[in-house]
Amino acid sequence: MSEHTPTSGQQALSALLHENRRFDPPPELAARANAQPSIYEEAAADRLAWWAEQARRLDWDTPFSTVLEWDLPDAKWFADGRLNACVNCVDRHVAAGKGSKVAFHWVGEPDGDTRTITYKDLLEEVSRAANALESLGVKAGDRVAIYMPMIPEAVVSMLACARIGAPHSVVFGGFSAEALASRILDSDCQVVITADGGYRRGAAAALKPHVDEALEQCPTVRAVLCVRRTGQDVAWIEGRDHWWHDTVETASSTHQAQSFEAEQPLYLMYTSGTTAKPKGILHTTGGYLTHVAATHRLIFDVKPDEDVFWTAADIGWVTGHSYIVYGPLANGTTSVLYEGTPTAGGRDRWWRIVEDYKVNILYTAPTTIRTLMKWGEDLPAAHDLSSLRVLGSVGEPINPEAWMWYRKNVGRTRCPIVDTWWQTETGGILITPLPGITSTKPGAAMRPFPGISAEVVDNEGKPVGNGEGGYLVITEPWPGMLRGIWGDHDRYVSTYWSRFPGVYFAGDGAKKDDDGDLWLLGRVDDVMNISGHRISTTEVEHALVGHPSVAEAAVVGASDETTGQAIVAFVTVKGNVQVENEAATEALVDELRNTVATTIGPIAKPRQIILTPELPKTRSGKIMRRLLRDVAEHRELGDVTTLMDPTVVNMISEKMTAGGEDEA
Ligand code: 7RM
């Protein structure tokens, strides 16, 4: 078995902290940057006025007169203003004469499968889709589920919902039927937009069958709108199911948009918390759009008239919502929309896309950078990447090695790297350097964005000094903040606003270095981060104990060289279940991994499942996860004296070493 050396996480970060490597912005960059050095003081001088100025870059049908109404923890931004999010993303650019400008260079996973969508095309498609949704009876306020591959129709669907004031709830296409059903039920969606399937890692994967299975549990869904993407056979329920090409493509390409109040719900995005039940994070219109447009423009230094912007993420996650759809479109930017994962279509597919489309700004996750890094320097070196100007990172702490590799091999030491910290809940980026303005350090997100107030506090909520670590909190409301958890205000209060009174608790550990710059160190709760995807330990445990053979399960996130963290599960089987030999063990482990895939989705499959006769517990019966994490990461075991039976960990530890690690 190979030595397991974590390359991400606190160890590597602290090693670099001592070196304190820093890159100062070259003056020629600062001169051209959208943001000027005075931006921090300007925003600090009058936070609300500064945000109001950002909001006025949008088109308001009724201008707002109030900026913030704050009744902790409930915020209303620009409350008396009225606007339409879709009009701001599409119509106004066409009206300004930019109809022939490309909104998306769409690149399908199969090589050569491309489409170009101009702002005028987008307006016509969105208008058709809005008309179609209305003909299916969707009204403002109704929730619509979207379960789609990364095709232009997915973006069109989101915008069409926004246009008619119907909050969308995009469910990542990699989630299982069961995960889809629970999300549809929680927010009571009555319409689902999907496709027959999508291309995933070189093959056509099915989506519609998952929808059919999910809807057996969701009797209130009355219509399914289905795009034909792969041409695979699908089951059809007459009256309920409608083909996109029959319904949308035949609808009128003009649609009169109405305006909504700024706090009109725009979308729900389900995210994992510390319980088995995902939370429906609610975002509204005016504040959210202001936040994503301002951060997109200033952090990526986007010049909408020249630049090609590429967020390599899926629209099934918040990064896709804010920095593929709403931010870039609000700013009238040209984006690349890529259907595939980096591994699909050859190991140099990414570099070919950068070269072919002359991508200027690339935004992706550390896990991807580490994968590309594993494949070596020759691949990026063989392509013309000279169009790149700014590089971004998001989703998890970036280890300094990956940061340096990104800088050298992708940015050719020329491009500033923005390590952007934010969450589904924050709506947009909150902590980041600004290109040309802020110095950068490999592994640090550096400082709060203008108009954002963040702090690192100790256990008692007192700010820590430079050189110390603690918990990240946001001390003032911000425009893109979540407005609640769907249907559960108490949970909203207890999750985010109770750990430290009066401030937003992010759930992340952070450190202020000797210069006062911020380093984000990952979650401090039971949420794992697998390739930048949030998955709760409880959710996976829940899935495992759903299997008839399982008595108990404990799940931990162990550091992993490529995915940041990987899921390791410790499972005890029921008394009557016999697992006599290696073959039987393997078969059961396989079955359990598949159970997790069907309950949650393939992304939640444990890297490793250890069957053990017992789990380590304290005398009061609590599972000691800390110890399991030590076992999973092959560390010296800490204090075991509080264990009921200290021999249990040794036994598990031996199994772990004997078992090896099977690939997910
Ligand atoms: C955008 C997104 C949020 C969690 C968050 C952190 C981690 C995200 C960074 C980061 C260190 C970063 N939304 N995280 N960005 N950690 N540095 N730049 O990822 O809701 O899916 O996840 O991701 O732990 O709490 S998310």
Side-chain angles (χ1 to χ4, degrees):
M1 216 194 91
S2 67
E3 266 296 312
H4 193 82
T5 41
T7 55
S8 70
Q10 303 201 7
Q11 280 138 298
L13 285 176
S14 63
L16 249 111
L17 257 177
H18 295 301
E19 276 180 50
N20 211 8
R21 194 160 11 186
R22 192 176 98 183
F23 298 98
D24 294 326
E28 65 276 13
L29 247 177
R32 280 197 77 226
N34 288 346
Q36 289 306 306
S38 56
I39 193 170
Y40 288 107
E41 291 90 75
E42 280 161 24
D46 192 341
R47 232 170 55 79
L48 297 184
W50 190 82
W51 279 117
E53 197 184 309
Q54 304 309 313
R56 282 190 203 100
R57 302 177 74 101
L58 299 174
D59 275 5
W60 295 81
D61 297 305
T62 308
F64 55 89
S65 66
T66 65
V67 179
L68 172 66
E69 289 169 29
W70 182 223
D71 180 9
L72 192 137
D74 299 307
K76 288 184 181 166
W77 284 83
F78 317 117
D80 61 350
R82 295 180 68 88
L83 77 170
N84 185 294
C86 178
V87 168
N88 270 281
C89 288
V90 186
D91 305 45
R92 68 165 172 157
H93 304 310
V94 177
K98 299 208 311 184
S100 60
K101 187 181 162 61
V102 175
F104 290 107
H105 293 293
W106 178 75
V107 183
E109 196 190 270
D111 231 327
D113 193 0
T114 62
R115 277 166 69 185
T116 305
I117 294 116
T118 64
Y119 274 92
K120 179 167 171 286
D121 297 336
L122 196 57
L123 177 58
E124 289 177 6
E125 271 299 289
V126 161
S127 299
R128 286 196 185 93
N131 284 321
L133 287 174
E134 283 178 345
S135 75
L136 293 172
V138 180
K139 301 179 304 302
D142 294 351
R143 276 81 57 202
V144 174
I146 299 178
Y147 183 66
M148 290 177 99
M150 282 279 287
I151 53 176
E153 287 83 354
V155 178
V156 169
S157 299
M158 290 167 69
L159 292 169
C161 288
R163 191 175 188 87
I164 63 175
H168 52 72
S169 168
V170 178
V171 179
F172 173 55
F175 275 126
S176 66
E178 205 166 315
L180 173 63
S182 72
R183 285 159 174 76
I184 290 174
L185 287 170
D186 187 74
S187 55
D188 192 19
C189 297
Q190 297 184 2
V191 171
V192 180
I193 311 179
T194 187
D196 51 357
Y199 291 95
R200 204 94 204 137
R201 298 177 205 284
L207 286 173
K208 175 74 162 52
H210 294 305
V211 173
D212 293 334
E213 191 187 329
L215 294 194
E216 286 169 19
Q217 299 174 51
C218 309
T220 56
V221 172
R222 53 164 204 277
V224 174
L225 191 54
C226 183
V227 175
R228 183 137 67 202
R229 162 79 183 118
T230 62
Q232 60 204 308
D233 280 339
V234 290
W236 208 251
I237 296 186
E238 283 307 327
R240 186 196 73 179
D241 298 348
H242 309 265
W243 282 115
W244 180 280
H245 53 261
D246 290 337
T247 317
V248 176
E249 297 308 331
T250 57
S252 160
S253 64
T254 58
H255 176 273
Q256 188 56 49
Q258 58 172 122
S259 59
F260 296 99
E261 52 184 49
E263 287 297 337
Q264 172 77 12
L266 180 62
Y267 70 82
L268 293 172
M269 170 102 261
Y270 283 83
T271 188
S272 289
T274 50
T275 70
K277 190 175 184 283
K279 303 173 286 211
I281 303 300
L282 172 66
H283 285 292
T284 59
T285 306
Y288 172 81
L289 207 59
T290 297
H291 188 158
V292 296
T295 49
H296 176 254
R297 188 173 64 85
L298 295 164
I299 295 166
F300 299 106
D301 195 33
V302 180
K303 321 285 181 201
D305 292 333
E306 307 160 22
D307 281 343
V308 177
F309 180 80
W310 183 16
T311 291
D314 196 285
I315 55 140
W317 309 107
V318 75
T319 302
H321 281 49
S322 299
Y323 299 106
I324 295 176
V325 181
Y326 290 109
L329 292 178
N331 289 327
T333 310
T334 297
S335 286
V336 167
L337 180 65
Y338 176 50
E339 183 184 27
T341 57
T343 41
R347 290 185 167 184
D348 69 341
R349 187 71 191 275
W350 267 42
W351 312 129
R352 278 196 283 137
I353 294 175
V354 170
E355 187 169 0
D356 290 352
Y357 292 95
K358 301 198 170 20
V359 172
N360 302 103
I361 301 145
L362 175 64
Y363 188 35
T364 190
T367 182
T368 308
I369 299 164
R370 288 192 294 266
T371 301
L372 298 165
M373 185 168 143
K374 244 184 353 205
W375 295 340
E377 301 186 351
D378 294 351
L379 293 167
H383 292 271
D384 179 4
L385 307 183
S386 61
S387 55
L388 288 172
R389 207 161 49 74
V390 178
L391 303 176
S393 173
V394 60
E396 48 175 323
I398 179 164
N399 49 308
E401 294 82 354
W403 196 101
M404 290 301 291
W405 188 90
Y406 199 27
R407 175 182 150 86
K408 172 168 176 263
N409 297 288
V410 186
R412 310 267 158 94
T413 71
R414 190 186 65 242
C415 306
I417 296 182
V418 288
D419 174 5
T420 63
W421 179 92
W422 58 296
Q423 310 175 295
T424 305
E425 292 87 340
T426 68
I429 297 165
L430 295 192
I431 302 176
T432 179
L434 292 178
I437 307 291
T438 318
S439 299
T440 59
K441 297 175 184 176
M446 299 305 287
R447 57 187 297 184
F449 183 74
I452 299 297
S453 312
E455 193 46 271
V456 181
V457 300
D458 65 16
N459 232 337
E460 274 71 57
K462 287 203 214 45
V464 304
N466 286 359
E468 291 172 32
Y471 303 98
L472 178 73
V473 296
I474 311 300
T475 57
E476 299 285 348
W478 65 99
M481 67 187 274
L482 76 164
R483 299 303 196 264
I485 295 174
W486 188 260
D488 201 343
H489 194 264
D490 291 349
R491 195 175 174 195
Y492 170 63
V493 176
S494 66
T495 307
Y496 305 109
W497 301 95
S498 299
R499 176 70 177 80
F500 301 107
V503 299
Y504 173 85
F505 173 57
D508 275 40
K511 185 173 175 119
K512 275 195 226 168
D513 69 14
D514 292 336
D515 304 323
D517 293 323
L518 296 174
W519 298 66
L520 280 309
L521 303 173
R523 305 289 307 186
V524 294
D525 53 16
D526 288 331
V527 176
M528 298 174 287
N529 191 323
I530 317 297
S531 301
H533 300 150
R534 266 163 75 167
I535 298 169
S536 88
T537 54
T538 347
E539 221 175 322
V540 180
E541 288 167 3
H542 215 74
L544 287 166
V545 296
H547 187 283
S549 299
V550 173
E552 257 193 315
V555 165
V556 299
S559 53
D560 182 279
E561 254 184 65
T562 307
T563 56
Q565 282 190 314
I567 304 175
V568 178
F570 299 87
V571 167
T572 64
V573 295
K574 287 183 184 156
N576 59 345
V577 178
Q578 300 288 320
V579 199
E580 288 115 358
N581 52 31
E582 237 173 80
T585 306
E586 243 174 69
L588 179 58
V589 164
D590 258 11
E591 231 183 276
L592 294 178
R593 295 178 75 240
N594 288 333
T595 300
V596 176
T598 48
T599 316
I600 304 170
I603 47 163
K605 269 192 189 178
R607 178 184 73 188
Q608 201 178 3
I609 296 180
I610 318 282
L611 299 184
T612 168
E614 262 176 90
L615 293 173
K617 288 187 185 163
T618 62
R619 293 190 188 91
S620 61
K622 280 185 86 172
I623 295 171
M624 290 194 71
R625 278 168 207 285
R626 175 176 58 79
L627 279 182
L628 290 174
R629 216 169 292 129
D630 287 344
V631 172
E633 295 183 342
H634 311 279
R635 255 197 307 274
E636 276 298 302
L637 297 182
D639 183 15
V640 296
T641 51
T642 52
L643 277 181
M644 196 146 52
D645 177 1
T647 59
V648 170
V649 273
N650 293 331
M651 188 173 59
I652 297 179
S653 200
E654 275 157 32
K655 278 180 170 276
M656 180 92 194
T657 323
E661 310 200 342
D662 44 48
E663 270 295 304

